[in-house]
Amino acid sequence: MTTHDAEQQQVLLDVQGSLGRITLNRPKALNSLTMEMVTAVLDALERWRADDRVRTVLIEGAGDRGLCAGGDIRAMYDAVKAGEPEHTEEFWAAEYRMNAALSHYPKPVVGIMDGICMGGGVGISAHGSHRVVTERSKVGMPEVGIGFAPDVGGTYLLSRAPGELGTHMALTGAPVSGADAIHCGLADHYVDSSELHELVNALTEGDASAVLDKYATTAPDSGLRAAASWIDEVYAAESVEGILTELRSRDEPEAGEAAETIATKSPTSLKVTLRALRSAARLNSLEEVLDQEYRVSLACVHRGDFLEGVRATLVDKDRNPAWSPAQLEDVGEEHVAAFFRAPTNGDLGLSG
């Protein structure tokens, strides 16, 4: 394969020794996921499932900025504006199937969450068996900032983080460090970024767990762990309005900063996200949660603030979204409930 050919391929696939290597290859777009990429990953996983040469699967990102910034939401926006929302629906259906496949894969899946790992980047790595972060990791689910809600199994993961840390992450949309990701259950191993090349080389011949035990070091102290006492108290409130009231009453500067951040997000997305998290905590499997997220994702496009959020963030880039409704108190329970109803074209059906 020539250098030009490699640059044209959105996913690079290679078997090196006993390692099946998946490299997301859109570095200029921070490896944001397209339908072509999701399909390529699914095909590789299926092919390597029965390939005795492959004992471990690696998922990494090309370039030096990060694993993946999420799904290609600009492409989704363009499809909906062109009157072709089915492309967005098909993408999410395939992506969520990939998330589920990764969580049950019969061979070790090592995800390198170095640098930026947001949204769909979390989905393609944090459901694997061996999740690696570094001192450069910025891990998060920023969807409420674009009129969306955490998906790709994000509400499954965040609802199972210690205490209310996942609620804090989901409603602020702020990225966290590698140490915080480990504390929240989004990652397992802390490796210095300077060791990643050697780690990957070792994975071509060695057992995944043994290799990671060799290269992993103790993570620094987690800032979220230190803040857990006030976060748990504040985010236990039953409503977004109640959470904001509690945040504004605290003495901790971080609480006031969180309140200011949350107040800029889509009121609809905030209320839908809080309900989705609380519901996900009661569901028994990742597949059940992905089915729920599929409903919510489609509703965000058809009745939520997704188009306006993407317009303000990526299209016009004015950073001044006109949320509708604009105030939390105007987002009624019936409006929120509608996001969780079965779509007219049918459920995703991962949970059977």
Side-chain angles (χ1 to χ4, degrees), residues 193 202 229 304:
S193 60
S229 58

Side-chain angles (χ1 to χ4, degrees), residues 239-246 248 271 328-331:
S239 66
V240 178
E241 293 93 331
I243 289 170
L244 283 172
T245 297
E246 292 293 327
R248 289 164 176 156
K271 288 199 171 184
L328 280 167
E329 57 267 27
D330 295 328
V331 182

Side-chain angles (χ1 to χ4, degrees), residues 176-232:
V176 301
S177 68
D180 288 333
I182 289 176
H183 179 63
C184 289
L186 302 175
D188 312 295
H189 305 278
Y190 193 90
V191 177
D192 191 279
S193 60
S194 64
E195 300 280 355
L196 291 178
H197 180 72
E198 290 188 18
L199 182 149
V200 173
N201 283 339
L203 286 172
T204 64
E205 298 180 357
D207 172 79
S209 294
V211 168
L212 286 165
D213 285 344
K214 176 181 178 180
Y215 285 93
T217 61
T218 301
D221 292 337
S222 164
L224 285 183
R225 182 199 291 270
S229 58
W230 70 261
I231 287 176
D232 288 350

Side-chain angles (χ1 to χ4, degrees), residues 321-344:
W323 303 129
S324 180
Q327 304 298 324
L328 280 167
E329 57 267 27
D330 295 328
V331 182
E333 291 185 7
E334 177 57 29
H335 183 58
V336 173
F339 283 69
F340 294 83
R341 295 186 188 130
T344 55

Side-chain angles (χ1 to χ4, degrees), residues 73-159:
I73 58 174
R74 175 59 194 265
M76 300 179 207
Y77 172 92
D78 290 341
V80 175
K81 295 296 284 186
E84 300 173 335
E86 65 275 8
H87 294 323
T88 297
E89 297 166 10
E90 291 166 1
F91 171 78
W92 280 323
E95 185 181 26
Y96 300 172
R97 290 189 179 96
M98 178 186 69
N99 302 143
L102 288 166
S103 74
H104 298 299
Y105 203 64
K107 300 178 181 182
V109 177
V110 180
I112 306 293
M113 304 165 75
D114 182 41
I116 292 174
C117 182
M118 305 284 187
V122 174
I124 203 171
S125 57
H127 298 301
S129 59
H130 297 70
R131 305 162 302 174
V132 177
V133 287
T134 73
E135 79 284 355
R136 308 191 321 155
S137 295
K138 295 181 179 180
V139 182
M141 302 295 296
E143 287 79 5
V144 290
I146 57 165
F148 198 46
D151 66 334
V152 297
T155 58
Y156 179 88
L157 295 166
L158 295 178
S159 67

